[in-house]
Amino acid sequence: MSNVVKSIKAMKSATRRSLTVGAVAGAIAATTALGASPASAATATWHYGSITWYNPSVGVGACGEWHGDNELVAAVSSQLYGSYPNPNNSPVCGKYVIVYGPSGTATWAKIVDKCPTCGPYDVDLSPAAFDVISDLGVGRFSTYWADYIN
């Protein structure tokens, strides 16, 4: 069984919706397997929410940049994005998330937008990012994901 699958099974047994990486022993192994260092895994916060996809190519995102549907980018909920006089100044802009798919595969995506219709711990991925971990036809699934400080 892969380290990623073991980590997801360990996380699914957790009872809290939001947890720190320190509470999930297998998370460091999973992020290392995906190319992250254990030090960067320690700066992550794990969440559980719905994952959907959207088309970032329809316009400039809340972070003030244009991105294509073929880029690995994401939008986070208004609660996580925050409210700023200039939305480009949100501290989440340019940070990364790692999202696990239903089969245990994972993808990284850069936060470039806000999802006003998302629940507090939901993530909207570009088609390219969503397609790495699930078929676009699935449309929505719930899983664990982590946000990274850098």
Side-chain angles (χ1 to χ4, degrees):
M1 183 179 307
S2 77
N3 287 336
V4 172
V5 172
K6 286 180 187 175
S7 295
I8 290 173
K9 286 185 179 188
M11 288 185 285
K12 285 183 178 177
S13 67
T15 57
R16 297 184 296 164
R17 281 185 60 81
S18 243
L19 50 134
T20 62
V21 172
V24 183
I28 291 175
T31 54
T32 302
L34 289 166
S37 70
S40 67
T43 63
T45 302
W46 290 89
H47 307 281
Y48 184 83
S50 290
I51 309 302
T52 54
W53 63 272
Y54 79 114
N55 297 101
S57 63
V58 299
V60 174
C63 292
E65 302 171 351
W66 181 89
H67 291 276
D69 295 344
N70 61 339
E71 295 180 59
L72 299 178
V73 295
V76 295
S77 69
S78 297
Q79 293 89 333
L80 291 176
Y81 192 89
S83 179
Y84 301 90
N86 180 346
N88 300 346
N89 293 335
S90 173
V92 302
C93 290
K95 306 301 182 200
Y96 290 85
V97 294
I98 182 172
V99 180
Y100 289 93
S103 66
T105 56
T107 189
W108 293 94
K110 180 180 175 184
I111 300 172
V112 298
D113 208 351
K114 174 171 48 174
C115 176
T117 60
C118 287
Y121 297 109
D122 297 349
V123 176
D124 224 359
L125 296 173
S126 65
F130 193 96
D131 196 44
V132 170
I133 57 175
S134 185
D135 183 82
L136 292 177
V138 170
R140 174 186 299 269
F141 61 88
S142 294
T143 191
Y144 286 91
W145 63 275
D147 55 47
Y148 284 85
I149 292 171
N150 55 8

